[in-house]
Amino acid sequence: MSATLRVDWRASVSLTGRVVKWLTVPMLFPLALALFYGRGLKAILPAIAIAFVVGWGLERLHSDPAAALGAREGFLMVALTWLLISVVGALPYIFEGSLTAYGATSTLRLPVNALFETMSGFTTTGSTVMGDISFETHSRALMMWRQETQWLGGMGIVVLAVAILPELSVGGAQLMDAEAPGPGIQKLTPRIAETARALWGMYIGLTVLEIVGLYGFHQLGMAPEMTLYNAVAHGFTTMPTGGFSPEARSIEAFTAVVQWFIIPFMVAAGTNFALFWHVWNRDFNVVWDDIEFKTYLGAIGVLTAITTGLLFTTPGFDMLTNALEPSLRHATFQIASIVTTTGYASMDFNNWGQHAKYVLLFAMFIGGSAGSTGGGIKIIRWVVILKTLRRELFTAVHPEAVRPVRLGSTVIDEDAIRGIYAFTLLYLVIFAFGTLVVLLVGVPGQELSAFEATSAVAATLGNVGPGVGIVGPMNSFLPFPRASKLLMVFFMWVGRLEIFPVLVLLTHAYWRS
Amino acid sequence: MRVVIVGAGEVGSSIAASLAESHDVVVVDVDSERVERLTYEHDVLTVEGDGASLDTLRAADVSKADIVIASTDDDETNLAICGTVKTASGAFTIARVQNRAYLETWRHSQGVFGVDFMVCTDLLTAQSIVRIVGLPTARDVDPFAGGRVQMAEFEVTEGSPLAGQTVQEADRFDALTFAAVIRGDDVEIARGDTAIDAGDKVVVIGRPGSVEAFAAAVVPEGGADEVGNVVIVGGSSVGELTGRLLSERGFVPRLIEQDPERARELAETLSKTTVLEHDATDAEFLEREHVGEAGLLVAALDSDERNLLVSLLAKRLGVNRTVAIVDNPAYVDLFEAVGVDVAINPREVTAEEITRFTRERRMENVAIVEPGAAEVLEVEIDEESALAGRSIREAVADLPDGVVVGAITRNGEFVTPRGDTVVQVGDHVVAFVREDALDAVTATL
């Protein structure tokens, strides 16, 4: 039977095992916090032990997995890695819920919920099923692990693996391509491992900058709530466009200064990191000439203007009407948060007028830039789609015209255009079908409107985080039945990996010659 | 001066022909028949052999040469020839290439490949076309003095306001000098009372802006419609370069190319050109795309016959002016006779460009107005010149009949030459010279 298999699955699993084994290293950070605060050790320590054993065991499956790594093994490895780290990463939640007295009320002690939360973390979605976001129910160590999953997932766990595991340098480009958001990857340096390190370097740099800034405001007395713990926790989830906050009220818990300060970091997180690389190398022209970047800023600008106008003029429960600064601040914050798929909330936008909420739902489908940590369909795809549609209109009048689609001065390959159309169509099909299923399954004891179901699927598939109504920023995905939650775990998974690396595994052609 | 020309094709032969009278010319070619024919046609020394080999070059006495011109049809051979020459001689090397990439490399680092001067046939051709496009009624336009002076040749058509006027009456333009009126093969130096008739060609020299104003005045009422609408037929290298140069000047040309792959390639490289993939001899297609409304059509297909066909078809559809690339120099006159407005032979353009480099050192620039009839020269005046320190009226009296001082630039400034203008050492003089006066003028200027 295995003779007809064309995939060396052992190699993929072995590499996945290696990543899981290395996952124990970042787990040492919450372990240290558990020791520092004297709480949470029972949750973290067994998880580390299991992760190590599982990882080490799987690694044994193949003696030289890197050598056997082809395109097919790459897909499997990337897809499996994200699934498996989410399973292993869920262990601390389950352990704390079941092994400690304080965790007995934790909703995360149930494996489905724990898996949902971890997948939401690693995929930087930011949707939560936590019933009670507080340090009473959860240890600070566990809450930091929740933040840390997002930070690890943001720039990409596989990118990180390529950066630090020398044996992955050969197939690294393929692996990164399967994981990276947006069509194709940009090699910044001749060696892929160096590119991976450069990306992680910029990512770490920006994260540190944000943490220092946030804590700085605290020190200056401008942000009393922004303790060092909170500064680190929010630094960990802004740059990956994650959206988890250890504060139940998300960013609403902080002062206006903090809210304004976080906006540019969200925008930066949704920007192609290659641009930071060019800025770092003083090659500013690349930034000015980047059509995706300009469109991205333009989209945020236009949507912010519309939302500000709506908040400023439309009476509601929001108390923003006729108050310019808060209208502008919340509109800018929320639009940046949704377009970049961060998913923070500076206030409960459930209380906004219906029109403003429609704008937010629309923004969920735009997504960040390619090569950023943002999710969604991505700006670049929309740019290409709009340009192709314009070409179709032109060639309808001039059938003989040959019109390549250009981004700035680069011509986009027709195959790439087809790939973009295929992706977007598939994305929308999954979205539509998923919405239907979630709507049909419903929520026990509650009325689930179509708008709410739509926003829930858009929020998980696009890795955005919160939706509206029942899944609004101050609510959670907890009420959904188990089937819907598992489906959303799948949405987050395929959404983060941009569908194909996962879906290709479900085809017959992938497994046979 | 001793000039060695390697490659006796059309370009090489044409250069040899124009240089043979005043210089010692040696022609090298691998083809024995060509070599033999040249020996009888012109007063030149011929050497048979591979010009890229040192032995052949030695046989041509390359070490004594002042200029070596590599003008074979193969780019790489021409570069190899120049490189080889440099190992054996201090001669000034000129290479003819078709591939613009070599030209760009050379411009980036002059002297590379052992080439001192490089001419790119396709680019020169495209430049000639674009200059004509810029002046809707011109047949030929050449820049002088770094672009501060232009020489242009216009055809005065029936209904043109100029037809029937004398030069004096027509001369209402600042910074513009009438050089000559060409009637048939007859070149008449422009005097105040020279009559301009329909069918004549007028040569003017002046500041580019004035030449443009004149161009507009030559056109009959209502004839000056949008030149902006340009159609290029054929995605040859010349077609591509024409498209690029035109879009650099703000035009949005349309380019028709039949081959799908080439069309795609052109569409990718020429971002501001609309590329249409179709057979340009399909009249129904041309009509559907309203090609007839174009102000100008450039036929740059690979075959002369098809270029003629497309040009005539376009004329019938209503295109204002047509420019056709003609590979066979013998067809040039024929094309213009049957209705193509301008026929351009790339090899002729190249030969012209190379010829100007082989003139005496002081000659900065040469344009051949009518082959064998007249030339326009640009000369930097030194102390020995007959013009130095004298007014033009005085100086011209000492010169033969067939010469007109068309323009002067002094320290980069344009000076309109009038009878009492005093020429100074260091001035650049652009002069129109009839062929019969050429030798006398080049000797005294």
Side-chain angles (χ1 to χ4, degrees):
Chain A
M1 183 196 94
S2 67
T4 55
L5 273 185
R6 291 291 170 208
V7 186
D8 192 347
W9 62 271
R10 284 166 190 275
S12 311
V13 174
S14 169
L15 281 175
T16 303
R18 189 165 305 185
V19 174
V20 170
K21 190 181 84 179
W22 281 102
L23 189 65
T24 54
V25 174
M27 284 174 123
L28 296 177
F29 179 55
L31 181 72
L33 288 184
L35 291 169
F36 179 78
Y37 290 107
R39 201 174 148 203
L41 207 56
K42 275 186 189 167
I44 307 291
L45 207 51
I48 292 180
I50 291 174
F52 189 82
V53 171
V54 168
W56 180 78
L58 294 178
E59 204 184 340
R60 308 262 108 189
L61 271 175
H62 201 288
S63 55
D64 188 10
L69 194 69
R72 294 187 187 193
E73 288 76 21
F75 281 130
L76 183 60
M77 183 261 174
V78 170
L80 267 189
T81 298
W82 285 79
L83 193 59
L84 205 61
I85 56 167
S86 296
V87 171
V88 171
L91 295 176
Y93 300 125
I94 300 172
F95 291 150
E96 187 170 272
S98 357
L99 300 180
T100 66
Y102 58 85
T105 53
S106 165
T107 53
L108 298 182
R109 67 180 190 286
L110 299 172
V112 172
N113 289 347
L115 178 67
F116 184 101
E117 197 74 9
T118 328
M119 185 60 95
S120 172
F122 278 121
T123 58
T124 76
T125 305
S127 301
T128 185
V129 286
M130 263 193 182
D132 175 28
I133 301 178
S134 75
F135 296 123
E136 265 78 70
T137 323
H138 306 279
S139 64
R140 284 175 184 270
L142 190 77
M143 290 295 258
M144 190 54 88
W145 171 238
R146 180 171 174 258
Q147 305 297 111
E148 205 187 351
T149 53
Q150 297 211 317
W151 193 70
L152 292 170
M155 188 42 78
I157 207 99
V158 174
V159 176
L160 184 58
V162 171
I164 58 177
L165 299 179
E167 61 269 36
L168 286 184
S169 56
V170 176
Q174 210 139 43
L175 296 176
M176 278 171 65
D177 196 19
E179 182 188 75
I185 55 158
Q186 275 173 291
K187 261 195 167 193
L188 302 175
T189 58
R191 295 201 174 272
I192 192 70
E194 240 171 82
T195 297
R197 277 195 284 272
L199 290 172
W200 264 88
M202 292 183 286
Y203 183 57
I204 291 170
L206 285 166
T207 307
V208 169
L209 194 66
E210 191 191 356
I211 292 172
V212 169
L214 288 175
Y215 191 55
F217 285 123
H218 179 71
Q219 291 290 0
L220 293 172
M222 294 157 85
E225 306 293 326
M226 193 50 86
T227 58
L228 183 59
Y229 183 92
N230 267 340
V232 173
H234 290 92
F236 268 9
T237 55
T238 313
M239 284 320 291
T241 69
F244 277 160
S245 170
E247 293 288 337
R249 286 160 62 218
S250 189
I251 310 301
E252 193 184 16
F254 302 102
T255 52
V257 178
V258 170
Q259 295 176 0
W260 278 117
F261 181 72
I262 287 176
I263 292 170
F265 283 93
M266 290 195 290
V267 173
T271 305
N272 189 342
F273 272 66
L275 291 184
F276 298 128
W277 172 257
H278 292 301
V279 169
W280 181 257
N281 289 301
R282 304 188 168 277
D283 193 0
F284 300 109
N285 283 343
V286 180
V287 182
W288 306 138
D289 294 344
D290 192 278
I291 188 147
E292 182 182 29
F293 184 59
K294 285 190 274 191
T295 314
Y296 168 65
L297 293 185
I300 290 178
V302 169
L303 291 175
T304 299
I306 293 172
T307 312
T308 308
L310 287 171
L311 294 184
F312 188 64
T313 54
T314 316
F317 312 100
D318 46 49
M319 291 172 286
L320 295 169
T321 314
N322 298 327
L324 189 58
E325 192 275 339
S327 294
L328 182 64
R329 171 158 45 91
H330 291 301
T332 316
F333 191 96
Q334 227 49 69
I335 288 297
S337 168
I338 297 293
V339 169
T340 62
T341 75
T342 306
Y344 278 151
S346 60
M347 67 176 294
D348 190 354
F349 52 79
N350 255 339
N351 295 335
W352 288 6
Q354 201 64 18
H355 292 99
K357 283 195 269 189
Y358 285 137
V359 175
L360 289 185
L361 182 68
F362 174 78
M364 286 186 188
F365 286 91
I366 296 176
S369 312
S372 73
T373 64
I377 289 176
K378 308 269 167 345
I379 303 276
I380 192 84
R381 292 203 176 88
W382 288 121
V383 172
V384 170
I385 286 169
L386 291 176
K387 288 201 165 208
T388 325
L389 289 178
R390 209 173 62 186
R391 168 173 74 179
E392 292 306 313
L393 293 178
F394 187 84
T395 46
V397 186
H398 302 276
E400 288 87 4
V402 184
R403 293 228 132 180
V405 177
R406 272 169 223 280
L407 287 178
S409 55
T410 20
V411 172
I412 315 218
D413 194 64
E414 295 299 322
D415 284 343
I417 293 176
R418 207 170 323 128
I420 284 169
Y421 267 86
F423 170 85
T424 311
L425 190 63
L426 203 52
Y427 189 97
L428 295 176
V429 166
I430 292 177
F431 162 75
F433 190 69
T435 304
L436 185 67
V437 174
V438 168
L439 197 59
L440 289 180
V441 172
V443 176
Q446 284 188 51
E447 185 76 29
L448 181 66
S449 74
F451 186 47
E452 286 170 326
T454 304
S455 86
V457 176
T460 47
L461 185 60
N463 300 150
V464 179
V468 293
I470 183 172
V471 292
M474 306 306 161
N475 306 328
S476 90
F477 284 66
L478 191 59
F480 282 102
R482 190 177 302 160
S484 295
K485 280 184 203 156
L486 285 176
L487 189 64
M488 288 180 203
V489 166
F490 177 76
F491 289 157
M492 292 189 272
W493 186 35
V494 298
R496 174 60 179 82
L497 297 181
E498 307 217 307
I499 303 176
F500 287 100
V502 176
L503 235 52
V504 78
L505 304 182
L506 306 179
T507 62
H508 187 261
Y510 173 82
W511 293 100
R512 311 286 154 186
S513 58
Chain B
M1 212 161 47
R2 192 180 174 89
V3 182
V4 175
I5 299 168
V6 185
E10 276 159 33
V11 177
S13 307
S14 166
I15 300 167
S18 55
L19 296 180
E21 263 181 55
S22 43
H23 301 283
D24 296 334
V25 176
V26 184
V27 181
V28 180
D29 201 295
V30 279
D31 186 335
S32 56
E33 272 179 45
R34 270 196 211 164
V35 167
E36 199 177 334
R37 198 180 51 213
L38 266 178
T39 316
Y40 295 110
E41 272 176 16
H42 304 290
D43 187 11
V44 297
L45 176 68
T46 53
V47 176
E48 189 191 325
D50 177 5
S53 97
L54 207 48
D55 287 344
T56 312
L57 290 173
R58 281 198 181 122
D61 230 349
V62 76
S63 59
K64 284 193 202 149
D66 299 290
I67 296 175
V68 177
I69 300 165
S71 62
T72 71
D73 275 333
D74 186 71
D75 285 4
E76 288 76 16
T77 306
N78 288 341
L79 298 182
I81 289 166
C82 290
T84 314
V85 166
K86 285 294 177 190
T87 66
S89 160
F92 189 90
T93 54
I94 299 176
R96 162 203 175 196
V97 295
Q98 256 154 40
N99 189 341
R100 205 165 90 122
Y102 291 130
L103 183 71
E104 265 151 28
T105 309
W106 180 78
R107 278 191 181 154
H108 185 256
S109 162
Q110 294 209 354
V112 77
F113 309 126
V115 174
D116 295 316
F117 183 67
M118 191 179 268
V119 285
C120 176
T121 309
D122 296 336
L123 185 62
L124 285 174
T125 311
Q127 282 167 338
S128 321
I129 295 171
V130 171
R131 278 198 298 269
I132 290 166
V133 176
L135 295 180
T137 45
R139 297 185 70 253
D140 191 8
V141 186
D142 279 296
F144 289 91
R148 280 178 283 269
V149 177
Q150 256 183 0
M151 182 284 289
E153 183 183 338
F154 296 94
E155 183 162 1
V156 180
T157 51
E158 205 79 51
S160 161
L162 255 54
Q165 293 185 329
T166 62
V167 165
Q168 197 162 20
E169 286 163 337
D171 190 5
R172 0 169 253 266
F173 299 90
D174 275 346
L176 188 85
T177 307
F178 280 73
V181 176
I182 301 172
R183 194 166 297 142
D185 290 335
D186 208 28
V187 178
E188 194 176 328
I189 295 296
R191 307 274 175 234
D193 56 355
T194 308
I196 303 171
D197 294 327
D200 287 354
K201 293 172 208 156
V202 183
V203 179
V204 296
I205 297 168
R207 191 182 279 161
S210 310
V211 174
E212 266 169 48
F214 180 75
V218 175
V219 199
E221 292 282 322
D225 52 10
E226 4 80 88
V227 199
N229 190 345
V230 180
V231 176
I232 302 163
V233 175
S236 59
S237 170
V238 173
E240 178 183 353
L241 287 168
T242 306
R244 170 165 304 151
L245 294 177
L246 282 176
S247 40
E248 275 167 16
R249 294 183 48 168
F251 289 91
V252 184
R254 282 181 288 167
L255 196 155
I256 304 168
E257 165 64 40
Q258 194 170 8
D259 178 59
E261 256 174 58
R262 178 66 181 155
R264 170 81 193 182
E265 197 182 313
L266 289 166
E268 287 184 5
T269 46
L270 302 171
S271 58
K272 294 204 177 81
T273 302
T274 305
V275 177
L276 302 168
E277 179 203 315
H278 204 80
D279 177 6
T281 54
D282 175 357
E284 193 260 332
F285 158 75
L286 295 178
E287 225 158 309
R288 177 151 42 89
E289 283 295 333
H290 301 282
V291 168
E293 286 159 28
L296 184 95
L297 180 132
V298 179
L301 293 160
D302 286 333
S303 113
D304 287 357
E305 291 74 11
R306 285 168 65 82
N307 278 341
L308 179 66
L309 181 62
V310 165
S311 304
L312 296 182
L313 206 53
K315 272 278 181 192
R316 265 183 71 117
L317 288 171
V319 173
N320 236 16
R321 283 182 356 125
T322 54
V323 177
I325 308 295
V326 191
D327 255 341
N328 187 340
Y331 288 171
V332 172
D333 286 343
L334 181 67
F335 270 45
E336 291 183 354
V338 297
V340 176
D341 292 285
V342 183
I344 293 183
N345 176 252
R347 292 193 177 82
E348 217 167 73
V349 175
T350 311
E352 204 176 294
E353 177 81 1
I354 294 176
T355 304
R356 78 190 180 97
F357 245 84
T358 52
R359 299 276 178 185
E360 295 220 28
R361 284 290 160 191
R362 285 190 300 133
M363 303 296 167
E364 308 250 313
N365 208 336
V366 176
I368 295 163
V369 181
E370 290 281 296
E375 290 185 12
V376 174
L377 311 176
E378 178 182 344
V379 186
E380 186 177 333
I381 299 301
D382 61 17
E383 277 160 20
E384 281 149 43
S385 168
L387 286 174
R390 304 171 69 189
S391 74
I392 289 181
R393 192 177 293 113
E394 274 176 75
V396 170
D398 291 349
L399 288 169
D401 228 11
V403 60
V404 179
V405 174
I408 297 171
T409 57
R410 183 172 297 157
N411 304 322
E413 295 293 314
F414 187 92
V415 179
T416 310
R418 295 293 173 235
D420 49 2
T421 309
V422 176
V423 181
Q424 297 171 6
V425 172
D427 286 358
H428 282 237
V429 169
V430 179
F432 175 91
V433 186
R434 208 161 55 198
E435 193 76 13
D436 55 5
L438 202 56
D439 288 341
V441 170
T442 44
T444 45
L445 276 189

